[in-house]
Amino acid sequence: MDKNFEIADIIVAFIKNEATPRQISVLDDWINESEANKRLFISLLDEVAFEQRLDRSRVLELEDAFGKVRARVRKSKRGYWRYVAVAASVAVVVAIGGIMAYWVGIPEKQGIVTRQQSISVGKSRAFLTLGTGEKVALESQDTLLRGKAMNIRIQENGEVFYEMADSIAPAEVEYNIMETPRGAEFQLVLSDGTKVWLNAGTKLRYPVKFIGKERRVELTGEAYFDVTRDEDVPFVVETSRSAVTVLGTEFCVRDYAGEANLTTLVQGSVSVEDQRGNAYLIRPGQQVNIGKEDSRVLDVETIYFTSWKDGYFIFNEATLSEIMSELSKWYDFDCFFLNPDAGNERLTARLKKYDDISVILDILSRTGNIQFTQKGRAITVRSAC
Protein backbone atom coordinates (compact mmCIF):
# COMPACT_ATOMS: atom_id res chain seq x y z
CA MET A 1 0.00 0.00 0.00
CA ASP A 2 1.24 3.54 -0.78
CA LYS A 3 2.59 5.13 2.43
CA ASN A 4 0.28 8.15 2.09
CA PHE A 5 -2.84 6.01 1.78
CA GLU A 6 -1.65 3.85 4.68
CA ILE A 7 -1.41 6.98 6.86
CA ALA A 8 -4.87 8.02 5.68
CA ASP A 9 -6.28 4.65 6.72
CA ILE A 10 -4.58 4.91 10.12
CA ILE A 11 -5.95 8.41 10.66
CA VAL A 12 -9.47 7.19 9.95
CA ALA A 13 -8.97 4.28 12.35
CA PHE A 14 -7.67 6.59 15.04
CA ILE A 15 -10.61 8.98 14.69
CA LYS A 16 -12.94 6.00 15.09
CA ASN A 17 -10.94 4.77 18.13
CA GLU A 18 -10.11 1.59 16.22
CA ALA A 19 -6.36 2.07 15.68
CA THR A 20 -4.09 -0.80 16.74
CA PRO A 21 -0.92 -0.21 18.79
CA ARG A 22 1.17 -0.74 15.64
CA GLN A 23 -0.89 1.81 13.72
CA ILE A 24 -0.54 4.33 16.54
CA SER A 25 3.23 3.82 16.48
CA VAL A 26 3.33 4.44 12.71
CA LEU A 27 1.16 7.53 13.14
CA ASP A 28 3.41 8.76 15.93
CA ASP A 29 6.51 8.50 13.73
CA TRP A 30 4.77 10.32 10.88
CA ILE A 31 3.47 13.17 13.06
CA ASN A 32 6.85 13.75 14.69
CA GLU A 33 8.67 14.18 11.39
CA SER A 34 8.26 17.98 11.62
CA GLU A 35 6.54 20.80 13.52
CA ALA A 36 7.06 23.42 10.82
CA ASN A 37 3.41 23.72 9.84
CA LYS A 38 1.56 23.45 13.12
CA ARG A 39 -0.58 26.49 12.33
CA LEU A 40 -1.68 24.91 9.08
CA PHE A 41 -3.19 21.82 10.69
CA ILE A 42 -4.88 23.98 13.33
CA SER A 43 -6.39 26.22 10.67
CA LEU A 44 -7.67 23.16 8.81
CA LEU A 45 -9.96 22.56 11.77
CA ASP A 46 -11.73 25.78 10.94
CA GLU A 47 -14.29 25.04 8.27
CA VAL A 48 -14.59 28.66 7.15
CA ALA A 49 -10.86 28.98 6.49
CA PHE A 50 -10.90 25.58 4.82
CA GLU A 51 -13.57 26.65 2.34
CA GLN A 52 -11.65 29.84 1.54
CA ARG A 53 -8.52 27.84 0.78
CA LEU A 54 -10.55 25.41 -1.28
CA ASP A 55 -11.89 28.27 -3.41
CA ARG A 56 -8.37 29.50 -4.09
CA SER A 57 -6.97 26.09 -4.99
CA ARG A 58 -9.23 23.20 -5.93
CA VAL A 59 -6.48 20.62 -6.32
CA LEU A 60 -3.50 19.86 -4.12
CA GLU A 61 -0.87 17.22 -4.78
CA LEU A 62 -1.15 14.33 -2.36
CA GLU A 63 2.51 14.44 -1.38
CA ASP A 64 2.34 18.20 -0.77
CA ALA A 65 -0.79 17.86 1.38
CA PHE A 66 0.87 15.30 3.63
CA GLY A 67 4.08 17.28 3.73
CA LYS A 68 2.34 20.40 5.02
CA VAL A 69 0.02 18.88 7.59
CA ARG A 70 2.59 17.84 10.18
CA ALA A 71 2.84 18.84 13.80
CA ARG A 72 4.60 17.73 16.91
CA VAL A 73 2.46 16.85 19.91
CA ARG A 74 3.07 15.06 23.16
CA LYS A 75 2.04 11.42 23.20
CA SER A 76 0.50 11.83 26.63
CA LYS A 77 -2.12 14.30 25.37
CA ARG A 78 -4.52 12.11 23.53
CA GLY A 79 -6.84 15.06 22.84
CA TYR A 80 -4.15 16.67 20.69
CA TRP A 81 -3.72 13.44 18.75
CA ARG A 82 -7.36 13.47 17.81
CA TYR A 83 -7.22 16.95 16.36
CA VAL A 84 -3.96 16.34 14.52
CA ALA A 85 -5.69 13.35 12.94
CA VAL A 86 -8.77 15.39 12.00
CA ALA A 87 -6.58 18.09 10.45
CA ALA A 88 -4.63 15.53 8.46
CA SER A 89 -7.82 13.89 7.25
CA VAL A 90 -9.10 17.26 6.00
CA ALA A 91 -5.93 17.67 3.97
CA VAL A 92 -6.49 14.26 2.46
CA VAL A 93 -10.04 15.31 1.56
CA VAL A 94 -8.55 18.09 -0.55
CA ALA A 95 -5.95 15.79 -2.06
CA ILE A 96 -8.04 12.80 -3.06
CA GLY A 97 -11.38 14.38 -3.79
CA GLY A 98 -13.55 13.55 -0.82
CA ILE A 99 -12.81 9.89 -0.05
CA MET A 100 -11.97 10.65 3.58
CA ALA A 101 -15.10 12.79 3.91
CA TYR A 102 -17.12 9.76 2.92
CA TRP A 103 -15.33 7.55 5.45
CA VAL A 104 -15.21 9.94 8.40
CA GLY A 105 -18.28 12.08 7.83
CA ILE A 106 -16.85 15.59 8.29
CA PRO A 107 -19.74 17.89 9.34
CA GLU A 108 -20.81 20.80 7.19
CA LYS A 109 -20.46 24.40 8.33
CA GLN A 110 -23.29 25.48 10.60
CA GLY A 111 -22.59 29.17 11.17
CA ILE A 112 -20.42 31.03 13.62
CA VAL A 113 -20.71 28.32 16.27
CA THR A 114 -20.89 24.70 15.10
CA ARG A 115 -23.14 23.03 17.68
CA GLN A 116 -22.30 19.48 18.70
CA GLN A 117 -23.12 17.41 21.76
CA SER A 118 -19.64 15.97 22.41
CA ILE A 119 -18.69 18.77 24.84
CA SER A 120 -20.78 18.52 27.99
CA VAL A 121 -21.13 20.62 31.13
CA GLY A 122 -18.95 19.56 34.05
CA LYS A 123 -20.47 17.79 37.02
CA SER A 124 -19.83 16.70 40.60
CA ARG A 125 -17.33 13.87 40.23
CA ALA A 126 -14.03 12.83 41.79
CA PHE A 127 -11.69 9.92 42.47
CA LEU A 128 -10.73 9.10 46.05
CA THR A 129 -7.54 7.15 46.74
CA LEU A 130 -7.68 5.55 50.18
CA GLY A 131 -4.76 4.85 52.47
CA THR A 132 -4.82 1.23 51.31
CA GLY A 133 -4.23 2.34 47.71
CA GLU A 134 -7.78 1.49 46.67
CA LYS A 135 -9.26 4.03 44.24
CA VAL A 136 -12.97 4.82 44.47
CA ALA A 137 -15.02 6.79 41.92
CA LEU A 138 -17.28 9.32 43.63
CA GLU A 139 -20.39 11.04 42.31
CA SER A 140 -23.50 12.52 43.89
CA GLN A 141 -24.73 9.49 45.79
CA ASP A 142 -25.43 8.42 49.36
CA THR A 143 -22.56 6.11 50.28
CA LEU A 144 -20.70 5.14 53.45
CA LEU A 145 -17.13 3.83 53.31
CA ARG A 146 -16.17 2.24 56.64
CA GLY A 147 -12.63 2.48 57.97
CA LYS A 148 -10.81 1.48 61.14
CA ALA A 149 -10.70 4.92 62.73
CA MET A 150 -12.73 7.05 60.32
CA ASN A 151 -15.79 6.52 58.15
CA ILE A 152 -16.22 8.39 54.87
CA ARG A 153 -19.75 9.49 54.04
CA ILE A 154 -20.65 10.65 50.52
CA GLN A 155 -23.95 12.56 50.48
CA GLU A 156 -26.37 13.02 47.61
CA ASN A 157 -25.38 16.67 47.22
CA GLY A 158 -21.84 15.56 46.38
CA GLU A 159 -20.16 16.43 49.69
CA VAL A 160 -17.77 14.05 51.43
CA PHE A 161 -17.56 13.98 55.24
CA TYR A 162 -15.09 12.21 57.54
CA GLU A 163 -16.62 10.81 60.72
CA MET A 164 -14.98 9.12 63.70
CA ALA A 165 -15.54 5.36 63.64
CA ASP A 166 -14.55 5.06 67.31
CA SER A 167 -13.28 7.30 70.11
CA ILE A 168 -9.67 6.16 69.81
CA ALA A 169 -7.46 8.42 67.73
CA PRO A 170 -5.31 6.60 65.15
CA ALA A 171 -1.66 6.11 66.13
CA GLU A 172 -0.33 6.94 62.66
CA VAL A 173 -1.33 9.51 60.08
CA GLU A 174 -3.30 8.01 57.20
CA TYR A 175 -3.63 10.02 53.99
CA ASN A 176 -6.34 10.14 51.35
CA ILE A 177 -6.10 11.79 47.93
CA MET A 178 -9.09 13.46 46.29
CA GLU A 179 -8.78 14.14 42.55
CA THR A 180 -11.17 15.93 40.21
CA PRO A 181 -10.48 15.46 36.48
CA ARG A 182 -11.14 18.11 33.84
CA GLY A 183 -14.88 18.67 33.56
CA ALA A 184 -15.56 17.93 37.23
CA GLU A 185 -15.76 19.48 40.69
CA PHE A 186 -16.30 18.17 44.21
CA GLN A 187 -16.85 19.26 47.82
CA LEU A 188 -15.09 17.84 50.83
CA VAL A 189 -15.38 18.31 54.60
CA LEU A 190 -12.20 17.38 56.43
CA SER A 191 -12.10 15.74 59.84
CA ASP A 192 -11.71 19.11 61.62
CA GLY A 193 -14.81 20.52 59.90
CA THR A 194 -12.90 22.54 57.28
CA LYS A 195 -14.85 22.79 54.02
CA VAL A 196 -13.02 22.46 50.70
CA TRP A 197 -14.36 23.06 47.19
CA LEU A 198 -12.19 21.42 44.51
CA ASN A 199 -12.19 22.96 41.04
CA ALA A 200 -11.64 20.97 37.84
CA GLY A 201 -8.24 19.33 37.36
CA THR A 202 -7.33 19.40 41.06
CA LYS A 203 -5.63 17.00 43.47
CA LEU A 204 -5.72 17.34 47.26
CA ARG A 205 -3.70 15.10 49.60
CA TYR A 206 -4.80 15.28 53.25
CA PRO A 207 -4.80 13.28 56.49
CA VAL A 208 -7.90 11.30 57.30
CA LYS A 209 -7.47 12.61 60.86
CA PHE A 210 -5.27 15.60 61.74
CA ILE A 211 -2.61 14.67 64.31
CA GLY A 212 0.10 16.90 65.74
CA LYS A 213 0.81 20.63 65.86
CA GLU A 214 -0.46 21.57 62.41
CA ARG A 215 -3.15 20.69 59.88
CA ARG A 216 -1.27 20.33 56.59
CA VAL A 217 -2.71 19.47 53.18
CA GLU A 218 -1.07 19.37 49.74
CA LEU A 219 -2.73 20.95 46.71
CA THR A 220 -2.30 20.85 42.95
CA GLY A 221 -4.88 22.76 40.89
CA GLU A 222 -7.41 25.05 42.59
CA ALA A 223 -9.46 24.88 45.77
CA TYR A 224 -11.51 27.19 47.97
CA PHE A 225 -11.04 26.68 51.72
CA ASP A 226 -13.36 27.61 54.60
CA VAL A 227 -11.09 26.65 57.49
CA THR A 228 -12.39 25.81 60.96
CA ARG A 229 -10.60 28.07 63.42
CA ASP A 230 -8.04 26.52 65.79
CA GLU A 231 -5.50 29.00 67.18
CA ASP A 232 -3.34 26.20 68.58
CA VAL A 233 -3.15 24.15 65.38
CA PRO A 234 -2.55 26.24 62.23
CA PHE A 235 -3.90 25.05 58.89
CA VAL A 236 -1.30 24.88 56.07
CA VAL A 237 -1.94 24.50 52.34
CA GLU A 238 1.24 23.41 50.60
CA THR A 239 1.63 23.80 46.81
CA SER A 240 4.55 23.44 44.43
CA ARG A 241 5.38 27.15 44.85
CA SER A 242 3.91 28.27 48.15
CA ALA A 243 2.87 27.46 51.69
CA VAL A 244 -0.28 29.22 52.94
CA THR A 245 -0.73 29.29 56.72
CA VAL A 246 -3.99 30.25 58.47
CA LEU A 247 -5.71 29.80 61.80
CA GLY A 248 -9.26 29.98 60.47
CA THR A 249 -10.50 31.90 57.44
CA GLU A 250 -11.78 31.73 53.84
CA PHE A 251 -9.44 31.89 50.87
CA CYS A 252 -8.75 30.43 47.44
CA VAL A 253 -5.47 28.86 46.30
CA ARG A 254 -4.67 28.27 42.62
CA ASP A 255 -1.61 26.32 41.45
CA TYR A 256 -2.06 24.99 37.91
CA ALA A 257 1.06 24.08 35.94
CA GLY A 258 2.08 26.80 33.51
CA GLU A 259 0.05 29.49 35.32
CA ALA A 260 0.80 31.93 38.12
CA ASN A 261 0.33 30.69 41.67
CA LEU A 262 -2.47 32.73 43.29
CA THR A 263 -3.69 32.99 46.88
CA THR A 264 -6.80 35.18 47.15
CA LEU A 265 -8.08 36.11 50.62
CA VAL A 266 -11.82 36.56 51.25
CA GLN A 267 -11.92 36.79 55.06
CA GLY A 268 -9.49 36.89 57.99
CA SER A 269 -5.76 36.85 57.32
CA VAL A 270 -3.25 34.44 55.83
CA SER A 271 0.51 34.21 55.58
CA VAL A 272 1.92 33.14 52.22
CA GLU A 273 5.51 32.02 51.75
CA ASP A 274 6.81 31.62 48.19
CA GLN A 275 9.46 29.19 46.89
CA ARG A 276 12.13 31.87 47.28
CA GLY A 277 11.50 32.17 51.02
CA ASN A 278 9.63 35.50 50.90
CA ALA A 279 6.67 35.78 53.30
CA TYR A 280 3.57 37.94 52.81
CA LEU A 281 0.77 38.67 55.28
CA ILE A 282 -2.34 39.79 53.41
CA ARG A 283 -5.76 41.14 54.34
CA PRO A 284 -9.21 40.49 52.74
CA GLY A 285 -9.37 41.70 49.15
CA GLN A 286 -5.68 41.05 48.54
CA GLN A 287 -3.92 38.40 46.51
CA VAL A 288 -0.39 37.00 46.42
CA ASN A 289 0.64 36.40 42.81
CA ILE A 290 3.72 34.16 42.50
CA GLY A 291 5.25 34.14 39.04
CA LYS A 292 8.44 32.77 37.53
CA GLU A 293 10.49 35.87 38.28
CA ASP A 294 8.90 37.49 41.33
CA SER A 295 5.98 37.59 43.76
CA ARG A 296 3.53 40.48 44.19
CA VAL A 297 0.72 41.48 46.52
CA LEU A 298 -2.26 42.87 44.59
CA ASP A 299 -5.56 44.48 45.57
CA VAL A 300 -8.30 42.53 43.77
CA GLU A 301 -12.04 42.01 43.55
CA THR A 302 -12.22 38.51 45.02
CA ILE A 303 -15.39 37.58 43.11
CA TYR A 304 -13.40 37.26 39.87
CA PHE A 305 -11.29 34.53 41.48
CA THR A 306 -13.90 32.69 43.56
CA SER A 307 -17.14 32.83 41.51
CA TRP A 308 -16.47 29.33 40.10
CA LYS A 309 -17.40 27.97 43.55
CA ASP A 310 -20.86 29.54 43.32
CA GLY A 311 -21.74 28.46 39.78
CA TYR A 312 -20.44 31.36 37.68
CA PHE A 313 -17.48 32.45 35.61
CA ILE A 314 -17.03 36.20 35.99
CA PHE A 315 -14.37 37.94 33.91
CA ASN A 316 -13.35 41.60 33.97
CA GLU A 317 -11.24 42.74 31.02
CA ALA A 318 -9.75 39.25 30.77
CA THR A 319 -8.08 38.17 27.54
CA LEU A 320 -9.98 35.66 25.44
CA SER A 321 -7.00 33.33 25.84
CA GLU A 322 -7.43 33.44 29.63
CA ILE A 323 -11.20 32.94 29.33
CA MET A 324 -10.92 29.94 27.03
CA SER A 325 -8.25 28.39 29.25
CA GLU A 326 -10.62 28.64 32.21
CA LEU A 327 -13.61 27.28 30.30
CA SER A 328 -11.59 24.39 28.86
CA LYS A 329 -10.94 23.03 32.36
CA TRP A 330 -14.67 22.88 33.13
CA TYR A 331 -16.02 21.80 29.74
CA ASP A 332 -12.97 19.63 28.92
CA PHE A 333 -12.13 20.77 25.38
CA ASP A 334 -9.00 21.82 23.49
CA CYS A 335 -8.85 25.35 22.11
CA PHE A 336 -6.88 26.65 19.12
CA PHE A 337 -6.50 30.29 18.05
CA LEU A 338 -6.28 30.77 14.28
CA ASN A 339 -4.79 34.26 14.66
CA PRO A 340 -2.93 35.68 17.69
CA ASP A 341 -5.04 38.84 17.85
CA ALA A 342 -8.14 36.83 18.75
CA GLY A 343 -6.54 35.52 21.95
CA ASN A 344 -5.51 39.02 23.02
CA GLU A 345 -9.00 40.52 22.80
CA ARG A 346 -10.25 41.57 26.24
CA LEU A 347 -13.79 40.85 27.39
CA THR A 348 -15.99 41.41 30.42
CA ALA A 349 -18.59 38.70 30.92
CA ARG A 350 -20.69 36.89 33.52
CA LEU A 351 -21.33 33.30 32.44
CA LYS A 352 -23.44 30.62 34.11
CA LYS A 353 -21.22 27.65 34.83
CA TYR A 354 -23.89 25.07 34.03
CA ASP A 355 -25.00 26.50 30.67
CA ASP A 356 -24.37 24.47 27.53
CA ILE A 357 -21.10 25.31 25.79
CA SER A 358 -23.00 26.56 22.72
CA VAL A 359 -24.72 29.17 24.91
CA ILE A 360 -21.38 30.25 26.38
CA LEU A 361 -19.75 30.61 22.96
CA ASP A 362 -22.74 32.50 21.61
CA ILE A 363 -22.49 35.03 24.46
CA LEU A 364 -18.76 35.48 23.91
CA SER A 365 -19.18 35.87 20.14
CA ARG A 366 -21.74 38.63 20.71
CA THR A 367 -19.61 40.27 23.40
CA GLY A 368 -16.52 40.47 21.20
CA ASN A 369 -15.66 40.41 17.52
CA ILE A 370 -15.04 36.65 17.53
CA GLN A 371 -16.05 33.52 15.64
CA PHE A 372 -15.99 30.01 17.11
CA THR A 373 -16.09 26.66 15.34
CA GLN A 374 -16.51 23.37 17.18
CA LYS A 375 -15.46 20.04 15.74
CA GLY A 376 -15.56 17.13 18.14
CA ARG A 377 -13.81 18.23 21.33
CA ALA A 378 -11.85 20.99 19.57
CA ILE A 379 -12.90 24.63 19.47
CA THR A 380 -11.16 27.00 17.06
CA VAL A 381 -11.24 30.76 17.57
CA ARG A 382 -10.71 33.50 15.01
CA SER A 383 -11.36 37.22 14.75
CA ALA A 384 -14.57 37.98 12.85
CA CYS A 385 -12.79 40.41 10.55
Side-chain angles (χ1 to χ4, degrees), residues 287-356:
Q287 177 187 87
V288 178
N289 183 312
I290 302 175
K292 292 182 180 180
E293 303 297 330
D294 60 7
S295 301
R296 297 173 295 161
V297 175
L298 306 173
D299 292 324
V300 299
E301 291 289 342
T302 60
I303 191 172
Y304 298 125
F305 302 91
T306 63
S307 59
W308 60 267
K309 176 181 75 74
D310 300 312
Y312 292 91
F313 293 112
I314 303 179
F315 303 102
N316 181 37
E317 289 296 306
T319 66
L320 186 58
S321 178
E322 293 169 340
I323 292 173
M324 295 305 287
S325 175
E326 195 68 21
L327 294 177
S328 69
K329 294 181 179 71
W330 178 240
Y331 289 93
D332 191 14
F333 61 78
D334 290 296
C335 181
F336 303 99
F337 289 89
L338 302 186
N339 50 304
D341 292 342
N344 295 330
E345 183 162 353
R346 292 188 176 275
L347 302 176
T348 296
R350 182 177 182 269
L351 307 171
K352 292 183 179 179
K353 191 175 178 180
Y354 297 98
D355 275 348
D356 186 83

Side-chain angles (χ1 to χ4, degrees), residues 128-304:
L128 176 64
T129 302
L130 305 175
T132 59
E134 179 185 0
K135 197 167 188 176
V136 182
L138 304 177
E139 294 194 25
S140 298
Q141 55 194 356
D142 192 3
T143 306
L144 180 64
L145 303 176
R146 297 188 179 277
K148 293 182 179 180
M150 302 290 292
N151 293 330
I152 306 171
R153 182 177 298 279
I154 302 97
Q155 299 195 144
E156 290 186 2
N157 63 2
E159 286 188 337
V160 171
F161 289 85
Y162 282 79
E163 305 170 341
M164 290 291 295
D166 54 47
S167 59
I168 301 175
E172 297 181 357
V173 179
E174 177 185 347
Y175 288 90
N176 281 184
I177 298 175
M178 184 79 74
E179 297 178 78
T180 53
R182 284 165 61 97
E185 64 181 3
F186 217 76
Q187 297 180 41
L188 168 67
V189 180
L190 301 176
S191 61
D192 67 336
T194 292
K195 297 179 181 180
V196 187
W197 288 258
L198 304 182
N199 205 350
T202 296
K203 179 166 70 173
L204 184 72
R205 182 176 183 265
Y206 54 91
V208 170
K209 175 69 175 177
F210 290 111
I211 301 174
K213 298 181 179 180
E214 67 176 13
R215 297 170 287 167
R216 181 176 292 266
V217 300
E218 300 170 22
L219 174 72
T220 301
E222 184 172 30
Y224 185 98
F225 295 86
D226 183 355
V227 177
T228 298
R229 189 169 188 83
D230 188 336
E231 296 185 0
D232 296 324
V233 186
F235 191 95
V236 181
V237 180
E238 182 180 343
T239 76
S240 63
R241 290 169 284 179
S242 66
V244 182
T245 303
V246 307
L247 299 178
T249 186
E250 292 188 37
F251 60 100
C252 184
V253 180
R254 182 182 180 97
D255 187 50
Y256 287 112
E259 301 181 15
N261 177 291
L262 306 176
T263 298
T264 306
L265 181 60
V266 177
Q267 294 182 20
S269 65
V270 303
S271 173
V272 182
E273 182 177 344
D274 65 18
Q275 74 271 35
R276 291 175 283 270
N278 302 313
Y280 305 89
L281 184 65
I282 59 175
R283 62 178 186 271
Q286 289 188 320
Q287 177 187 87
V288 178
N289 183 312
I290 302 175
K292 292 182 180 180
E293 303 297 330
D294 60 7
S295 301
R296 297 173 295 161
V297 175
L298 306 173
D299 292 324
V300 299
E301 291 289 342
T302 60
I303 191 172
Y304 298 125

Side-chain angles (χ1 to χ4, degrees), residues 86-151:
V86 173
S89 70
V90 174
V92 177
V93 171
V94 181
I96 63 179
I99 294 176
M100 292 284 285
Y102 173 76
W103 285 342
V104 181
I106 297 174
E108 296 180 356
K109 183 178 67 175
Q110 298 181 27
I112 293 178
V113 179
T114 302
R115 306 177 190 278
Q116 299 182 9
Q117 299 302 316
S118 57
I119 298 178
S120 58
V121 177
K123 62 179 181 178
S124 180
R125 185 165 61 96
F127 297 99
L128 176 64
T129 302
L130 305 175
T132 59
E134 179 185 0
K135 197 167 188 176
V136 182
L138 304 177
E139 294 194 25
S140 298
Q141 55 194 356
D142 192 3
T143 306
L144 180 64
L145 303 176
R146 297 188 179 277
K148 293 182 179 180
M150 302 290 292
N151 293 330

